[in-house]
Amino acid sequence: MTPAVLTGDLGRTFTAKPFGSKSHKPVTVTALSHVNLEIPPGELFGLLGPNGAGKTTLIRILSTLLLPSYGKAFVGGYDIETHPQKIRSLINMVSGGETSGYGMLTARESLWLFTQFYGIPYNEAFKRIDYLLKVVGLEDRANVKLHDLSTGMRQKVNFARGFLNNPSVLFLDEPTLGLDVHIARGVRTFIKEWMKEEEGRTILLTTHYLQEAEQLCDRVAIISDGKIIACDTPDGLKKLIPGRIRLELVIQPVNGRTPSWNDITGLNLIEEKEADNEILFRFLLNDEGIVHHIMNRLVNSEARILSLKKHEPDLEDVFVAITGKKLCDDETAEPPEIPEQ
């Protein structure tokens, strides 16, 4: 089966003057370094990393907007350098925060303009436009000019545009960036439903929202400083860091009897804090089965359990473990209250 996306030692460098430098000597900046990816048809593939990691550069190369400095890339079996027009007939791209079109046009007119760029027949074009406007909840704002729409509504128009030509391969570059939680939730729901409607549809999604990557993606590649440093299913990535299950326990001891944990193999006590006849324990567990031994110890000591919270490794833990650094604070902030779908 021909991969939907295939790259081999793909790289991109830029020449630029250092910011704030008085020197006129340009320097070489590496945006991508020897990226090797293979995405089969029908996969929702995620690229997770901070701003500046190379996500957008990769999307631009694969969507034929930017040439690589070295290496090869294929989309739908076509070489991006020798057959860009064939690729463009198969794909579409949506970028979060991009300009949505001409402000003087209405939402419906803007989408119609793009259907003509895509060569969609007149009658079919309006069927798709009306359907997608309903999907993104803009059917009652269809005849409002773009410059009179809110930022979130304009992003909805952008999102609808990406699906107009029913692409085989869709590139979504931070599609929920700047959207409020309600709109972002609807976008994620539609993405999953769209993937199920037709076999072989493929999405490459870039994001720095950790929960978004976990909820949507079949596989996730972690990118840092232009390099792919890990690639697997979300659960597979979490298994790269065993022993990172965190447990927070608050108890009320009876008759001053405090449990001892020293002899429980695989249990690492990282914090103990006592206040108002309550004791807080924070543990790292090598194995979830250790919880059973903790509970037995509490029963034997007759301690009263006030709260017990378990936190399993997430993709942020994976990123920190394999890169030695965290995603920037403003980037790790999730859209508030993202529920499980």
Side-chain angles (χ1 to χ4, degrees), residues 95-135:
S95 295
E98 69 177 316
T99 303
S100 51
Y102 297 103
M104 62 185 295
L105 298 180
T106 67
R108 198 164 191 258
E109 288 169 344
S110 180
L111 292 177
W112 180 85
L113 179 64
F114 280 103
T115 64
Q116 302 313 291
F117 293 156
Y118 300 143
I120 301 173
Y122 186 89
N123 291 335
E124 179 64 24
F126 279 111
K127 290 180 182 178
R128 295 188 191 183
I129 290 169
D130 291 341
Y131 168 69
L132 287 167
L133 285 172
K134 184 176 182 180
V135 164

Side-chain angles (χ1 to χ4, degrees), residues 197-214:
E197 286 176 359
E198 189 173 310
E199 186 177 357
R201 285 174 171 171
T202 306
I203 289 180
L204 173 54
L205 166 76
T206 76
T207 184
H208 58 246
Y209 291 147
L210 301 166
Q211 292 186 28
E212 187 164 86
E214 288 201 50

Side-chain angles (χ1 to χ4, degrees), residues 53-66:
K55 303 188 303 294
T56 297
T57 299
L58 179 59
I59 289 285
R60 287 177 178 172
I61 290 174
L62 294 174
S63 58
T64 74
L65 296 178
L66 187 67

Side-chain angles (χ1 to χ4, degrees), residues 245-247 267-273 280-285:
I245 299 175
R246 298 197 294 270
L247 194 71
L267 179 66
N268 182 18
L269 176 63
I270 58 175
E271 184 179 359
E272 180 177 345
K273 187 185 298 184
L280 166 68
F281 297 101
R282 287 194 173 96
F283 304 102
L284 278 180
L285 281 62

Side-chain angles (χ1 to χ4, degrees), residues 217-235:
C217 299
D218 301 310
R219 285 191 302 152
V220 175
I222 293 178
I223 186 170
S224 179
D225 298 324
K227 299 178 181 179
I228 301 293
I229 52 179
C231 182
D232 205 336
T233 65
D235 286 341

